[in-house]
Amino acid sequence: MKKSDFYFELPEHLIAQTPLERRDSSRLLVTDRRTGTVNHRHFSDLPEYLHEGDCLVLNNSRVIPARLMGLAEGRTTPIEVVLLNDRGGGLWECLTRPGKKTREGVKLSFGDGLLTGQVESVNPADGNRMIRFQYDGVFLELLERLGSMPLPPYIKAKLDDPERYQTVYSKTPGSAAAPTAGLHFTDGLLEAIERKGVKLAYVTLHVGLGTFRPVKAEEITDHIMHAEFYQMDETAAQLINETRASGHDVFAVGTTACRTLETIADESGRVRAQSGWTDIFIYPGYRFKAVDHLITNFHLPESTLMMLISAFAGRERVMEVYRQAIASEYRFFSFGDSCLFL
């Protein structure tokens, strides 16, 4: 398939710039994949589509202040560094701008030397830098002091409250971008869902910016996904397997939870506690093993996320859903509205 098969025109005014005052007041476009029926609801109506014994799988990764502004040794022009993946031992895969100022061996300083780093290597395929950081104290505490939230480039407005770019259940720091399908949940909504007898299972996938990189290859099978760290504990695995064994349904909250489940599941849909790195690329033709229903935001044209939901619901149906969403002026992307594919 061609990446152009996933293109659509989006009016710029539909790109949400700020979150709504109440998270669950966002709109929810519900599509039945079997019948093609579309219903226009609100996210607070979600419990109506969940049944006792079902399982809601949520990504509890927390966004870190991954955007750093620093200086290269001997230079006065600021350099932007965005942390993508923690490789351990102070080594991070990073995105840098301008790239020509961060060649291999370049030394960097942030916060007047509170944090320093050196470029160890440059990936020729994507230009990402491997930077080894040196510091005293706790790295995440330094980031809180020196870093800022790396909002997507299509968001131009200032975010007054950084917690609005975190889910209410975020727990494990490590993401460079929010798992945005979860931004619509409130504590009260999660409590209402649990009162229905629905199980909540939490997994972790640290979202890297590679998920949102534009697909440059015209043939989508030529696109290379970047690896992201995932983790599922024994409690989550048991809840998901119990749900499947009892004949109930698994709802994935977001493409990140979906990719985690599909990475871990065996051919029967069973999962087990594990952690690792996934570069799974889901596009039409893929057979889903572990996910019965998908909650997700509205995505960028020609993105790997559009390809994933097209694999789940069918490309033609997804494109029709998006046409209806645009006609009804749904809000798009990170702070936008949501859709549920049944």
Side-chain angles (χ1 to χ4, degrees):
M1 298 187 79
K2 309 287 187 184
K3 72 171 183 177
S4 54
D5 292 331
F6 304 91
Y7 179 78
F8 61 91
E9 287 279 355
L10 179 68
E12 189 172 350
H13 74 276
L14 295 184
I15 300 175
Q17 293 297 311
T18 55
L20 297 177
E21 183 176 350
R22 182 171 174 82
R23 292 174 183 259
D24 62 0
S25 65
S26 57
R27 298 167 75 187
L28 178 68
L29 198 158
V30 182
T31 302
D32 189 314
R33 291 180 292 152
R34 296 162 299 179
T35 64
T37 303
V38 171
N39 287 298
H40 300 273
R41 307 294 299 272
H42 286 90
F43 202 84
S44 56
D45 299 323
L46 178 64
E48 295 181 26
Y49 297 94
L50 297 158
H51 302 94
E52 183 178 357
D54 288 343
C55 183
L56 196 65
V57 182
L58 308 106
N59 179 10
N60 67 6
S61 181
R62 184 169 176 83
V63 186
I64 59 175
R67 181 176 179 266
L68 293 163
M69 298 302 295
L71 295 173
E73 189 175 46
R75 296 185 178 274
T76 58
T77 305
I79 290 174
E80 179 186 38
V81 175
V82 179
L83 307 176
L84 300 181
N85 289 313
D86 182 1
R87 298 297 184 175
L91 186 66
W92 282 77
E93 181 182 0
C94 302
L95 180 70
T96 65
R97 282 193 292 260
K100 62 183 179 181
K101 304 294 186 183
T102 52
R103 295 186 175 92
E104 187 174 329
V106 167
K107 295 180 179 179
L108 302 166
S109 176
F110 310 89
D112 294 325
L114 284 175
L115 176 66
T116 61
Q118 184 168 3
V119 181
E120 291 197 351
S121 63
V122 179
N123 187 332
D126 56 23
N128 287 353
R129 270 61 175 166
M130 299 299 291
I131 300 177
R132 178 87 59 183
F133 289 97
Q134 304 285 337
Y135 53 91
D136 292 324
V138 179
F139 187 64
L140 285 176
E141 290 180 359
L142 272 178
L143 287 186
E144 292 289 345
R145 181 173 175 181
L146 302 177
S148 61
M149 200 70 77
L151 292 176
Y154 49 76
I155 294 179
K156 311 298 182 185
K158 180 184 176 183
L159 181 61
D160 293 327
D161 179 7
E163 280 300 309
R164 291 308 306 272
Y165 196 56
Q166 305 278 13
T167 63
V168 297
Y169 49 81
S170 65
K171 179 181 179 182
T172 309
S175 279
T180 55
L183 294 179
H184 307 279
F185 286 92
T186 64
D187 290 327
L189 184 60
L190 290 171
E191 290 167 5
I193 288 169
E194 283 192 291
R195 283 198 299 271
K196 289 198 70 170
V198 176
K199 298 184 281 286
L200 303 183
Y202 293 96
V203 299
T204 301
L205 184 135
H206 290 322
V207 187
L209 296 184
T211 301
F212 305 99
R213 282 186 184 274
V215 177
K216 295 181 179 179
E218 184 54 33
E219 290 288 342
I220 66 172
T221 51
D222 292 334
H223 178 70
I224 299 174
M225 292 285 285
H226 287 71
E228 295 166 314
F229 179 80
Y230 71 86
Q231 186 170 24
M232 176 183 287
D233 63 22
E234 190 61 51
T235 299
Q238 184 176 342
L239 289 173
I240 293 164
N241 288 334
E242 285 175 356
T243 300
R244 192 158 298 283
S246 63
H248 292 96
D249 290 346
V250 173
F251 286 70
V253 178
T255 57
T256 60
C258 176
R259 292 176 66 240
T260 302
L261 287 169
E262 293 300 318
T263 294
I264 296 173
D266 64 18
E267 288 303 311
S268 69
R270 285 188 60 82
V271 297
R272 60 186 176 86
Q274 60 177 270
S275 63
W277 293 82
T278 181
D279 60 359
I280 188 171
F281 180 18
I282 298 176
Y283 52 85
Y286 179 86
R287 186 182 69 82
F288 287 82
K289 307 183 292 287
V291 177
D292 299 305
H293 310 290
L294 178 62
I295 301 165
T296 184
N297 278 21
F298 291 96
H299 302 298
L300 278 73
E302 298 185 333
S303 64
T304 59
L305 306 181
M306 278 293 291
M307 295 166 192
L308 185 154
I309 63 171
S310 294
F312 189 76
R315 190 188 72 87
E316 288 299 326
R317 176 159 292 136
V318 166
M319 298 306 283
E320 174 57 29
V321 165
Y322 272 54
R323 281 191 287 270
Q324 291 195 38
I326 291 169
S328 300
E329 300 220 317
Y330 275 69
R331 302 164 78 245
F332 273 64
F333 306 162
S334 297
F335 288 137
D337 295 313
S338 183
C339 47
L340 166 62
F341 291 103
L342 295 172

